[in-house]
Amino acid sequence: LRPLTSHYLFAALPGESFSDHTERLKCLKSLQTLSEDEFIKTIKSSLTGQALRVASSIDEEQYLGRHSGSRDYIECLEKLFVSSQQTITFRLDFANLKQKRTESILEFYANLLYLAKSAKFTNVDNNVSCKDKFIDGLKSPYIKRKLFEDEKDGETLNQLMIRAANLDSIDKNLTRPSSASSSSASLGTPEPMEISELRWQYPSPY
C-alpha cells in the first residue's frame, strides 16, 4: 500500500473535536518526527472552514522558535475556539429570545442585554438589531404595535424599554377592576350615575 501524504494524515476527521484533533496530531508528530516549528505549521494547515477562519486571527509565527511553542499555540487556539463556540451559542439564544408569560418587561430587557453583550454585539443601546429584537420578543401585540407607531428617531434601547414598561403599566391599570367598583358591588350600593343619565329637576312653582 502506498502511504498517505501528510496532508491527508493531519486533516481533521468529520465530527472530530478540536481536543481530539490536537491529540491525534501529537501522536502523528512523534511518528513523523516533526520539529516544534514544523508541527505548529502543520496544525494551522490541518484546519479548514470555520476552524481555519477562527485560527487565522492568531499569528502562528510568534510561536516559532520556542521550546514549548506548539503547546502554547494549541492552548491559545483552544481558548479561541471555546470563546467562538460560546459566542455562537449566545447568538442563537439571542435570536430565539421571547418574553416569558410571567416575565416582566424589565426582566426581559435584562436578559436581552446579557445575551447581546455575551454575543459580542457592539453599541447595544443603539444597535438596530437589538432594538428590533426587543420589540419582536415582547408578548403583547398591543405594546409591539404602539412602540412601532410612536417610534422616535435616535431612540435608544433603554428608552424603548421605558416606553414599553409605561405602556404595560397603563394597560394593566385599564384592565384591572377598580377598588371603588368592587366595594360598591359588595355593599350593594348603587354605582355612580353617568353624566348622560342625569336629569335636571326644576322646583315646582307651587
Side-chain angles (χ1 to χ4, degrees):
L1 292 174
R2 188 176 63 182
L4 291 172
T5 62
S6 60
H7 171 76
Y8 291 104
L9 279 173
F10 290 97
L13 301 175
E16 188 176 43
S17 69
F18 181 73
S19 297
D20 291 339
H21 180 59
T22 52
E23 287 303 315
R24 185 166 61 83
L25 292 185
K26 289 174 185 177
C27 294
L28 291 172
K29 175 193 175 185
S30 300
L31 292 172
Q32 297 282 321
T33 61
L34 299 177
S35 68
E36 279 289 297
D37 289 357
E38 288 174 330
F39 186 46
I40 289 171
K41 292 177 180 179
T42 300
I43 294 171
K44 179 73 173 288
S45 64
S46 72
L47 302 175
T48 58
Q50 179 67 20
L52 180 58
R53 286 192 289 273
V54 172
S56 295
S57 63
I58 298 176
D59 180 15
E60 70 275 10
E61 296 288 331
Q62 63 183 305
Y63 296 94
L64 300 179
R66 297 187 189 180
H67 176 68
S68 59
S70 63
R71 185 192 65 192
D72 296 342
Y73 181 53
I74 288 172
E75 286 180 359
C76 187
L77 284 176
E78 283 178 337
K79 291 178 183 178
L80 196 64
F81 284 132
V82 169
S83 175
S84 176
Q85 187 58 48
Q86 286 177 337
T87 300
I88 292 171
T89 302
F90 283 126
R91 289 182 76 90
L92 286 172
D93 289 343
F94 177 85
N96 295 321
L97 185 64
K98 296 287 183 184
Q99 183 185 8
K100 297 180 179 65
R101 187 176 61 84
T102 58
E103 189 176 43
S104 71
I105 285 179
L106 185 58
E107 289 170 331
F108 172 65
Y109 168 75
N111 285 334
L112 184 141
L113 271 187
Y114 168 73
L115 289 175
K117 291 177 179 178
S118 299
K120 303 292 193 297
F121 281 98
T122 57
N123 194 16
V124 173
D125 206 32
N126 292 292
N127 190 299
V128 175
S129 297
C130 294
K131 290 189 282 187
D132 286 347
K133 184 60 197 175
F134 174 76
I135 297 175
D136 176 66
L138 293 171
K139 63 186 177 184
S140 169
Y142 164 74
I143 295 177
K144 286 184 184 182
R145 180 170 55 81
K146 290 297 291 179
L147 290 178
F148 277 124
E149 286 178 352
D150 303 330
E151 189 176 8
K152 300 175 179 63
D153 290 337
E155 188 173 34
T156 65
L157 178 60
N158 182 259
Q159 291 169 337
L160 201 62
M161 180 275 295
I162 293 171
R163 198 151 58 87
N166 288 338
L167 287 167
D168 184 54
S169 179
I170 293 170
D171 187 51
K172 286 177 179 176
N173 287 333
L174 289 174
T175 55
R176 184 186 299 122
S178 66
S179 57
S181 298
S182 301
S183 60
S184 296
S186 62
L187 295 173
T189 54
E191 293 288 330
M193 186 177 290
E194 296 290 335
I195 293 176
S196 59
E197 296 176 20
L198 291 176
R199 297 291 183 270
W200 291 105
Q201 298 295 327
Y202 293 97
S204 171
Y206 303 102

